[in-house]
Amino acid sequence: MKKIGFILILTFVSLGVFAQEVLTLKECYNLLETNYPLVKQHQLLENQNQIDNSIITNSKLPQISLDAQATYQSEVMEFPVAMSSITPLNKDQYRATVSINQLIFNGGATTANLKVKTAELKTKKKSIETNIYQLKMQINQLYFSILLTQETFKLLEVKKNQLKTKLKEVKSGIKHGVLLPASDSVLEAELLKINQQFIEVENRKLSLIETLFSFIGQPFDSDVKLEIPLITTRLDTEITRPELDLFQLKKEEITAQEAFVSKQNSVKLNGFFTGGYGNPGLNMLDNSFHSFYTVGVKLHWNVFDWNTNKKQQQSLAIHKDVIENETEVFKLNTTIALNKQQKEIEKVSAFINSDQEIIRLRKKVLKTLDAQLKNGVITSSVYITEFTNLFEAENILLQHKIQAQLAKENYNIIKGQ
């Protein structure tokens, strides 16, 4: 029985530890990159690329075709009277053939096409990585919003405990006739308001957690605790975003396409074999069923294509210039965003300094009012007003601290750090 009890206690303790699991911002990023539905496209693209490569590689294999035909002609070739001993051709003719074509040389077009597919795969996979990276801004917003509710909850706890302590003092003052009988009602009403604030903060926190966990692919856990990250930010404009890698891969893809296009008019050499059975065979003068075959090589060279190949090259060159322009625009917009975010960091930092001074002054005032309330000089309403002012100042400081952390992390994400 004792052993069963010990196991139950251990189970509850383990559940309690699990319920208090701590989640970090870095873990959220890692889970996003692992579990977000878009990640599944990586494997899909790999599978598609393997199929495309197989199709292209098959062009190097022998191409086998089967043909069969039966025809009836209204006229056939007639022979002069001097050759009347030759049996005239039948008007009905039959033929079945098997043809084998083998690519011998195509100027490296197959290899170039494979390189195009490889470049396309890299571009598509980097595009997925870029799209997921851009979601980190939303992860930041959710993470720090949850963090704010988490810290606000702690602040409310402190405020509630302080009011409970003050309520005991007031009740004692009423009991000894120092304070008016209704002085405790104001404090009790304020405690009820705090309970409402608890409910409001908790509901907002649960909603945010549910949204965050949807992004990172985790089962909902209302008891999760978020770690306050230690964020370091270098305020410079050196950009290392994955979008820059994407632009580079797009240009490399175009370079591969240019190489492929340049080989499309190359000399192509094929070997072929055709074997068949028909009436007539290759000897048109023999009017009977025979087997036959032909074997040889075929050379093809598209000497003139009305500058189609050249125009394709020009179009690809323009596309490369467009990507270069997109890169410049992206760098400009990112630099503007970084400057804006830096101003936000500086502004919030200035607010924090002011908040701390405001709180210091409000605490000084509240300390004076606390003594006056004990002696019955002021009413509970006056005390609660200043107490609420102090709480609001502390709450604003908390918001600004979280806002500063968010601004710094957003700066890092915008920069690509």
Side-chain angles (χ1 to χ4, degrees):
M1 191 66 182
K2 288 182 179 179
K3 187 178 292 185
I4 294 174
F6 176 75
I7 293 172
L8 289 173
I9 292 172
L10 186 61
T11 301
F12 285 125
V13 170
S14 300
L15 289 173
V17 171
F18 180 77
Q20 295 297 318
E21 182 181 358
V22 176
L23 183 66
T24 67
L25 182 58
K26 186 176 180 180
E27 287 172 346
C28 288
Y29 291 158
N30 293 337
L31 290 168
L32 174 71
E33 293 168 355
T34 304
N35 298 328
Y36 193 69
L38 195 61
V39 176
K40 295 178 181 178
Q41 288 191 19
H42 279 292
Q43 188 58 50
L44 294 175
L45 290 173
E46 287 281 359
N47 295 341
Q48 184 184 39
N49 181 255
Q50 289 178 5
I51 294 172
D52 290 342
N53 286 348
S54 176
I55 293 171
I56 295 170
T57 305
N58 284 347
S59 66
K60 296 181 178 180
L61 301 176
Q63 308 298 308
I64 303 173
S65 61
L66 174 66
D67 295 289
Q69 68 176 30
T71 62
Y72 182 84
Q73 302 176 197
S74 59
E75 288 183 304
V76 293
M77 183 171 55
E78 297 181 355
F79 298 97
V81 176
M83 302 175 65
S84 58
S85 61
I86 299 175
T87 304
L89 297 175
N90 294 331
K91 291 186 177 181
D92 57 323
Q93 298 183 4
Y94 307 91
R95 172 172 291 215
T97 60
V98 174
S99 298
I100 302 175
N101 284 279
Q102 173 65 58
L103 176 65
I104 299 174
F105 177 78
N106 67 351
T110 301
T111 302
N113 200 6
L114 288 171
K115 289 181 178 179
V116 170
K117 293 300 178 182
T118 300
E120 287 178 353
L121 176 63
K122 290 180 179 179
T123 301
K124 290 176 181 178
K125 292 177 76 171
K126 180 58 69 172
S127 179
I128 292 172
E129 181 184 329
T130 299
N131 290 334
I132 293 175
Y133 183 87
Q134 291 170 353
L135 292 174
K136 288 184 178 181
M137 295 286 282
Q138 295 185 48
I139 295 295
N140 286 350
Q141 191 64 48
L142 289 166
Y143 188 93
F144 285 99
S145 295
I146 296 170
L147 206 56
L148 179 60
T149 62
Q150 183 176 296
E151 298 305 304
T152 300
F153 206 90
K154 294 178 182 178
L155 196 59
L156 284 170
E157 286 282 3
V158 173
K159 181 182 178 183
K160 182 178 180 180
N161 292 333
Q162 289 176 343
L163 277 181
K164 282 184 175 180
T165 301
K166 184 55 61 181
L167 181 60
K168 289 180 181 179
E169 293 176 359
V170 170
K171 285 183 178 294
S172 177
I174 294 172
K175 183 178 179 181
H176 293 89
V178 178
L179 300 175
L180 296 173
S183 297
D184 57 345
S185 299
V186 177
L187 297 176
E188 288 174 343
E190 189 65 22
L191 282 170
L192 291 174
K193 284 176 61 178
I194 290 177
N195 289 333
Q196 290 178 336
Q197 290 173 330
F198 272 123
I199 295 172
E200 182 180 354
V201 171
E202 183 66 17
N203 286 339
R204 175 168 171 73
K205 177 185 175 183
L206 294 177
S207 177
L208 291 167
I209 290 174
E210 185 175 9
T211 306
L212 175 64
F213 279 32
S214 296
F215 273 103
I216 63 178
Q218 294 298 296
F220 179 74
D221 181 5
S222 60
D223 295 318
V224 69
K225 300 298 179 185
L226 302 189
E227 180 183 86
I228 300 176
L230 180 61
I231 300 173
T232 56
T233 303
R234 290 186 294 109
L235 297 178
D236 56 55
T237 55
E238 182 184 357
I239 303 169
T240 56
R241 288 280 291 270
E243 286 88 344
L244 297 179
D245 295 332
L246 176 61
F247 290 134
Q248 182 60 36
L249 287 173
K250 284 183 176 180
K251 287 191 286 187
E252 291 176 5
E253 180 183 338
I254 293 175
T255 300
Q257 290 173 344
E258 288 173 335
F260 174 63
V261 169
S262 68
K263 296 181 182 299
Q264 286 184 325
N265 286 343
S266 298
V267 173
K268 294 178 177 62
L269 183 65
N270 286 277
F272 65 88
F273 169 84
T274 300
Y277 184 76
N279 181 8
L282 295 181
N283 184 1
M284 298 295 295
L285 301 180
D286 189 347
N287 191 20
S288 61
F289 280 92
H290 284 279
S291 60
F292 57 88
Y293 73 89
T294 57
V295 63
V297 292
K298 179 181 178 181
L299 181 71
H300 174 79
W301 184 21
N302 190 6
V303 180
F304 186 70
D305 65 351
W306 302 98
N307 286 329
T308 299
N309 193 278
K310 183 178 180 181
K311 290 175 181 177
Q312 288 177 331
Q313 295 277 11
Q314 291 173 344
S315 176
L316 289 171
I318 292 173
H319 190 190
K320 189 177 287 187
D321 290 339
V322 169
I323 293 173
E324 191 66 40
N325 178 257
E326 289 176 349
T327 305
E328 293 175 3
V329 171
F330 175 79
K331 287 181 178 179
L332 175 62
N333 290 337
T334 304
T335 300
I336 292 172
L338 284 174
N339 291 334
K340 182 180 178 181
Q341 203 65 34
Q342 183 175 347
K343 292 292 187 290
E344 178 71 12
I345 294 171
E346 293 170 354
K347 180 190 75 174
V348 177
S349 297
F351 283 166
I352 290 174
N353 293 332
S354 298
D355 291 336
Q356 291 171 339
E357 181 61 19
I358 290 170
I359 290 171
R360 187 186 70 80
L361 295 173
R362 293 230 178 255
K363 284 183 176 180
K364 186 177 180 180
V365 172
L366 188 63
K367 186 176 181 181
T368 302
L369 294 180
D370 182 56
Q372 292 176 346
L373 178 61
K374 289 179 180 178
N375 297 320
V377 177
I378 61 170
T379 63
S380 298
S381 298
V382 174
Y383 177 84
I384 283 298
T385 299
E386 190 53 41
F387 182 84
T388 303
N389 289 338
L390 174 60
F391 172 76
E392 290 301 323
E394 290 175 333
N395 194 38
I396 291 172
L397 173 61
L398 174 61
Q399 291 178 20
H400 284 157
K401 284 183 176 180
I402 298 296
Q403 191 177 345
Q405 293 287 84
L406 173 60
K408 290 177 181 178
E409 186 58 25
N410 282 343
Y411 187 95
N412 291 338
I413 295 298
I414 293 171
K415 187 171 64 172
Q417 182 174 323

